[in-house]
Amino acid sequence: MLELDLSSEIAAVRSTFSDILAVVDVDALQAEIARLSEAAGAPDLWDNPEEAQKVTSALSHRQSELARVSGVQRRLDDLEVLIELANEMDDEDSAEEARKELVELTQAINQLEVQTLMDGEYDDRGAVVTIRSGAGGDDATDFAEMLLRMYLRWAERHGYSTKVMDMSYAEGAGIKSATFEVTAPYAYGTLSVEAGTHRLARISPFGSADKRQTSFAAVEVIPVMEEAVEVDIPENDIRVDVFRSSGPGGQSVNTTDSAVRLTHIPTGIVVSMQNEKSQIQNRAAAMRVLQTRLLLLQKEAEAAKKKELAGTITASWGDQMRSYFLYGQQLVKDLRTGFEHGNPANVFDGDLDGLISAGIRWRKRKDDDD
């Protein structure tokens, strides 16, 4: 006689889910959806396309958040019914289905729990990610391209929209740099823990001596700013260069010089954009990213000053935050959290959730300690 008892496991996930509901505040979320729905139904909404985009985007994000929470609640209730039926019918197939659903539900609830830990000022926004190759020659530029594919595959797995905004190809293998945007709720809060220096150790495919090669790439993550009015940049502080977009091997992609490079002279910050259709669009996109970087730089300086006054200046992440070992013991190890993944091939194919979740929990503990 089948006696499937998952009561203790279900009690544990229900307890975690109750904590999540307390943070999410479903009543407030429903009220916000109602307000945004009313605004989205206004007959003159699209008289101001920018404002309309903000309203419809915010409504979509809130509806998705409510759907995730409601979906988990529904699945929890259905799971308990399935267990009862499995026991009553002495059905091992239903029991196996219940065990599998419990595992998947636990993962879904853990992801929701991680989202509740993202309470930073910009955490709920989309993200702009820039990857730059570092020391290591062809191995480094190849590594940078591997990281680009890794993040795009991660986004694809989650159904997030991505857009490559700029790409600089290396003369040999891979890329010198790439910038792309991820459009999804909490994309910045999620991906911001990926910022830092990444290190790859492997037998180089580009050398004949079969020697181990270490190479580096830097990842920068900034939030998508709907309006960057907080930063005023004098025209004299910006140098604008226009050039022709190019692909691998120097082949022309556009027939006009539409790519734009902005250099902020006082700080040396450089932003390039080439994937929009016109020079005007590329310049506008580059300016938004530049304003965001300057805003974050200003906030970092203010935070550093506060820590200096308090006498608590410490290095935040150091020079290296994660290592990828592709020789001997195959391993990806996050040096901040200690989290390890024993299948680098899966990681490079976008299996990042464990690493990211550990990073978000680590950041929250660190912030609480500070």
Side-chain angles (χ1 to χ4, degrees):
M1 181 70 179
L2 178 67
E3 291 186 9
L4 178 63
D5 183 8
L6 300 176
S7 55
S8 60
E9 291 90 339
I10 292 178
V13 295
R14 277 202 178 278
S15 176
T16 301
F17 187 56
S18 295
D19 293 339
I20 291 171
L21 291 178
V23 174
V24 171
D25 192 347
V26 172
D27 290 341
L29 184 58
Q30 290 174 329
E32 177 69 0
I33 289 173
R35 184 189 69 80
L36 289 168
S37 296
E38 183 178 353
D44 60 347
L45 175 68
W46 289 97
D47 289 350
N48 184 338
E50 289 187 8
E51 184 62 27
Q53 184 64 43
K54 292 178 188 176
V55 170
T56 56
S57 177
L59 176 59
S60 176
H61 290 175
R62 300 300 183 272
Q63 288 173 330
S64 296
E65 187 175 356
L66 180 60
R68 283 194 296 272
V69 173
S70 301
V72 167
Q73 179 70 71
R74 198 163 45 248
R75 290 173 66 185
L76 268 171
D77 295 339
D78 290 346
L79 176 58
E80 292 181 325
V81 172
L82 180 61
I83 293 171
E84 289 179 9
L85 288 174
N87 286 324
E88 289 176 6
M89 303 294 292
D90 195 23
D91 184 357
E92 182 56 44
D93 288 341
S94 295
E96 182 58 32
E97 183 183 348
R99 295 186 190 100
K100 181 180 178 182
E101 174 65 359
L102 177 61
V103 171
E104 294 178 357
L105 253 179
T106 301
Q107 293 173 342
I109 289 174
N110 285 340
Q111 287 299 312
L112 276 176
E113 183 186 19
V114 167
Q115 183 173 311
T116 66
L117 302 178
M118 291 186 283
D119 54 4
E121 184 177 359
Y122 305 116
D123 279 356
D124 63 344
R125 302 198 180 198
V128 175
V129 182
T130 297
I131 300 168
R132 296 186 179 88
S133 62
D138 285 344
D139 280 279
T141 53
D142 185 52
F143 181 34
E145 187 169 36
M146 291 165 66
L147 290 178
L148 172 63
R149 180 185 181 277
M150 178 180 78
Y151 290 122
L152 294 178
R153 286 286 291 119
W154 171 83
E156 181 183 336
R157 284 180 175 217
H158 288 275
Y160 299 158
S161 173
T162 59
K163 177 182 179 181
V164 177
M165 305 168 75
D166 184 59
M167 186 90 75
S168 175
Y169 291 92
E171 293 180 2
I175 58 174
K176 295 179 181 178
S177 65
T179 298
F180 63 96
E181 181 176 337
V182 180
T183 304
Y186 292 92
Y188 173 69
T190 302
L191 288 173
S192 57
V193 296
E194 290 295 295
T197 300
H198 296 238
R199 170 177 173 260
L200 173 67
R202 65 174 176 179
I203 302 300
S204 174
F206 303 103
S208 57
D210 290 333
K211 292 183 178 179
R212 190 186 76 178
Q213 175 71 34
T214 300
S215 53
F216 298 87
V219 175
E220 174 195 76
V221 186
I222 63 174
V224 173
M225 307 295 281
E226 294 174 357
E227 293 183 2
V229 297
E230 300 170 80
V231 179
D232 181 31
I233 308 176
E235 283 292 327
N236 291 340
D237 285 354
I238 301 175
R239 184 175 71 247
V240 181
D241 297 305
V242 178
F243 58 99
R244 178 161 295 182
S245 301
S246 62
Q251 293 180 334
S252 176
V253 173
N254 293 339
T255 57
T256 59
D257 293 338
S258 62
V260 173
R261 181 186 299 112
L262 300 183
T263 303
H264 185 245
I265 297 171
T267 62
I269 294 174
V270 178
V271 178
S272 298
M273 292 293 158
Q274 63 173 304
N275 281 26
E276 298 293 350
K277 294 181 180 180
S278 71
Q279 183 184 132
I280 293 175
Q281 290 174 315
N282 278 320
R283 176 167 179 159
M287 182 61 75
R288 285 195 299 272
V289 172
L290 176 59
Q291 288 175 312
T292 301
R293 286 182 177 168
L294 289 174
L295 175 62
L296 295 180
L297 190 65
Q298 176 183 316
K299 288 184 176 293
E300 287 172 5
E302 291 171 355
K305 184 62 178 178
K306 289 177 182 177
K307 286 190 175 182
E308 182 181 5
L309 293 173
T312 58
I313 287 185
T314 57
S316 56
W317 287 8
D319 293 331
Q320 183 184 322
M321 47 81 72
R322 185 178 301 152
S323 292
Y324 306 75
F325 299 98
L326 299 186
Y327 71 96
Q329 181 186 11
Q330 302 282 303
L331 183 69
V332 177
K333 182 171 182 177
D334 194 293
L335 305 181
R336 306 158 303 168
T337 67
F339 187 94
E340 297 183 355
H341 195 304
N343 192 328
N346 281 1
V347 172
F348 281 117
D349 197 40
D351 185 9
L352 286 172
D353 287 344
L355 288 156
I356 288 175
S357 294
I360 292 171
R361 295 180 190 279
W362 167 84
R363 180 178 61 190
K364 182 63 175 178
R365 289 194 302 270
K366 184 174 176 295
D367 290 345
D368 290 345
D369 290 342
D370 292 343

